[in-house]
Amino acid sequence: MRALPPPRWHLPDARSLPDGIDYAGPGMDWDDATLLNAYAAGYFPMPRELESDEIDWWSPDPRAVLDPADVRVARSLRQSMRKFSITVDAAFGEVVARCADPLRDSRWIDSNVRIAYGRLHAGGWAHSVEVWQADALVGGLYGVELGGLFAGESMFHTARDASKAALVGLATLLRTAPGPRRIDCQWLTPHLASLGAVEIPRRQYIEELSAFLASDDALSALPHGTRISG
């Protein structure tokens, strides 16, 4: 992993949070150093109120994770994927915008998020995976890469199985890279469980972080628009 910028704030050990409590509390800022050091300590931001100046921080217990080598591709998904092509960092801004669609339920991506992750993308820390059908963007995801950890933030789809295809494409790329790799899925959903994601205790997640952070970045070395499949 590339060296992180010096932290601007003191981050408490996430293992000190009460068991089973996901919410860590408000505070700090959207600065690159704050975000990156928070991910490296097992936290991530998710505002509870849109366009609020207050940032809310989370460290779920249990934590949903996916080992790229354990991703499961059902026959129906494999058939769907034949219709798609998958790229990396070809349309980061559009993926984030589609994930922020105001018509989506439980929307939390506001202008603060879009600006902050746009900066992280420009700095080579945040990445997107796009799923295309012909020339149309029909699915995708974005997140932050710290060495062998890909911290997934959000995904979307407008075609059946397109968001699943994005995650499979990401896992396929990561499992070919050297060193241990993990996709942080935050919370487990049936959608993620169907692909092989599992839950682990927060304490285990934090204690294992250093091994993943020690790996080299995989996505930042790729030219924007690199095609994974299709």
Side-chain angles (χ1 to χ4, degrees):
M1 181 181 72
R2 291 179 291 160
L4 296 177
R8 293 163 54 91
W9 304 86
H10 169 70
L11 291 163
D13 189 330
R15 291 171 294 186
S16 66
L17 296 172
D19 291 346
I21 301 299
D22 297 347
Y23 181 54
M28 302 196 294
D29 56 40
W30 290 105
D31 187 83
D32 292 3
T34 302
L35 292 169
L36 295 172
N37 282 280
Y39 279 109
Y43 298 97
F44 59 85
M46 181 178 290
R48 293 188 294 180
E49 294 185 16
L50 293 174
E51 306 301 343
S52 171
D53 292 334
E54 185 171 84
I55 307 172
D56 294 289
W57 295 90
W58 306 80
S59 185
D61 184 30
R63 189 80 164 237
V65 298
L66 176 62
D67 184 329
D70 292 340
V71 67
R72 295 198 298 261
V73 185
R75 179 182 298 179
S76 60
L77 175 56
R78 198 175 300 278
Q79 292 173 339
S80 294
M81 291 183 68
R82 293 173 185 158
K83 302 179 294 184
F84 302 140
S85 59
I86 304 175
T87 57
V88 176
D89 287 336
F92 181 87
E94 189 172 353
V95 168
V96 176
R98 300 287 282 275
C99 289
D101 185 343
L103 298 179
R104 295 183 67 176
D105 293 335
S106 303
R107 185 171 72 93
W108 56 270
I109 299 173
D110 61 16
S111 62
N112 293 314
V113 175
R114 294 176 66 172
I115 292 170
Y117 286 82
R119 287 198 315 267
L120 290 180
H121 176 63
W125 297 99
H127 303 277
S128 58
V129 177
E130 302 87 17
V131 178
W132 308 87
Q133 193 164 12
D135 293 327
L137 181 65
V138 296
L141 62 81
Y142 78 95
V144 174
E145 182 185 45
L146 295 177
L149 174 72
F150 186 88
E153 279 297 307
S154 188
M155 57 175 61
F156 83 95
H157 71 278
T158 58
R160 179 181 176 181
D161 289 337
S163 60
K164 289 184 178 180
L167 192 56
V168 170
L170 173 65
T172 300
L173 189 155
L174 293 180
R175 69 171 175 250
T176 64
R181 303 280 155 181
R182 168 170 283 170
I183 300 172
D184 171 27
C185 302
Q186 300 180 350
W187 287 284
L188 190 65
T189 65
H191 180 88
L192 294 168
S194 70
L195 292 167
V198 298
E199 291 182 320
I200 62 174
R202 174 172 55 223
R203 177 172 292 275
Q204 178 183 346
Y205 179 87
I206 300 301
E207 290 174 350
E208 294 176 347
L209 259 179
S210 58
F212 296 102
L213 298 179
S215 295
D216 291 333
D217 295 354
L219 303 182
S220 61
L222 299 175
H224 286 194
T226 295
R227 189 177 297 271
I228 300 176
S229 69

